[in-house]
Amino acid sequence: MPGEQPSEAEQNAVAAAALTMATTELEYRVSLLNSMVATCHDRCAARPYKEGALSVGENSCIDRCAAKYWQVVAIVGQLLGAQNK
Amino acid sequence: MPGEQPSEAEQNAVAAAALTMATTELEYRVSLLNSMVATCHDRCAARPYKEGALSVGENSCIDRCAAKYWQVVAIVGQLLGAQNK
Amino acid sequence: MPGEQPSEAEQNAVAAAALTMATTELEYRVSLLNSMVATCHDRCAARPYKEGALSVGENSCIDRCAAKYWQVVAIVGQLLGAQNK
Amino acid sequence: LEQMQVRDSLKMYNSLVERCFKECVEDMRSKALTGKEEQCVAKCCEKFMHVTARVGMRFQEFFTQMEQQAAQQAAAAQGGK
Amino acid sequence: LEQMQVRDSLKMYNSLVERCFKECVEDMRSKALTGKEEQCVAKCCEKFMHVTARVGMRFQEFFTQMEQQAAQQAAAAQGGK
Amino acid sequence: LEQMQVRDSLKMYNSLVERCFKECVEDMRSKALTGKEEQCVAKCCEKFMHVTARVGMRFQEFFTQMEQQAAQQAAAAQGGK
């Protein structure tokens, strides 16, 4: 019925579901970030390691690597989404 | 004593333990399936990728890969089991 | 106030926090052990596998591998710690 | 349990992205995927989904068979009593 | 949630140790790291932290942008009513 | 906690299967493991268990030593007061 207040139990259930979703979303982002870091380190860090700092070339390699990584995320996401429908 | 009913608390504990076991079993199967998929993709998917569909050769490669994977599961399981006794 | 007893709720909270910390520490050790085992197996187990037992050479390779692994743990820990301050 | 499924599919999503990036993206001299890289990623992803479906089918068969055998053995043990 | 952060950073610590060991430790004929190995590990670790910072920056930008776009689209949809 | 142990050993089981498959299974032209592959898998698995035992021993020693040092330092700090 419109205007009616949800019970406290309902509110708690909604809050718990929201927290669970937020946690899963966060875990997903952390794991995505970790794969990006590992992949772009593999691709862009010059070996043998001469210094700890990043050179200009390494920095722009990382920027391009990240940009391409997002594009792959988008393509794969589209294809997986298409299949699920 | 035979014929006696277990208390509600006991029933709940048994149900919780069964759920935990079922969850662990499921996690195990999911992770086993994931390794099989990744391994058989590595072995059987022809590179460079010419098309998204599987060829006849790729399909039978996957079937054999899966069959051999189960055999490795069995051998390793037997040896790990033997050691635990 | 000194000499005052903490309430039961406080004691429970402390116990729960300690258990959480101990679990995290244990998980960390298990995962560290697993990486050490995998890495030292990669480095030291002679291929092709001729027998299941370890040879004298393999055993001392594993001991050195473990010793070096600890040193890497220490260096990385120091650098990560320095950065966090 | 549903939560576990969501988590598993996100994990699979991430690992598929990582795999197809590694297999398909070759040069880091441009900010945008080349046409060739883009096509490779799409095929890599499709192929992987087909492999997943096929392995999943064999997987299902195997567990079904194992459970049937276990049931038969249980029945045989009961009959032998 | 805080617990999750501790766990993630320990996981990252472990994977960094594994990576730098694999990339830097070459021979197993001595019990102590050589000077060269030690330097390599230190640089590997520093470099990785710099890569993490840079990728993290791009990552943050990307999600901020995505959320802004979503907000604009929501506003446009509201305006179109 | 016991639950965690079961999970860890299943994870280790899975990773051992994957490792020995990758190291030992070479050709995909037959449905059954060849004798050579089978022997390789058995030795791979045994060897891995021995490596696990040996590394585990060194691991234990290391942590025991670290805890003793920590205890001594704590005692020394107390004594210095």
Side-chain angles (χ1 to χ4, degrees), chain F residues 2 6 13-14 28 31 41 45 48 53 62-64 68 71 74 79:
Chain F
E2 199 185 303
V6 174
Y13 180 21
N14 266 341
M28 289 295 153
K31 227 184 141 115
V41 168
C45 177
F48 189 85
F62 181 84
F63 274 107
T64 309
Q68 279 173 356

Side-chain angles (χ1 to χ4, degrees), chain B residues 68-69 71-72 75, chain F residues 21 25 30-35 37-38 41:
Chain B
K68 287 197 166 193
Y69 209 91
Q71 292 167 59
V72 176
I75 296 174
Chain F
F21 184 98
V25 179
S30 67
K31 227 184 141 115
L33 291 177
T34 64
E37 286 171 340
E38 215 167 307
V41 168

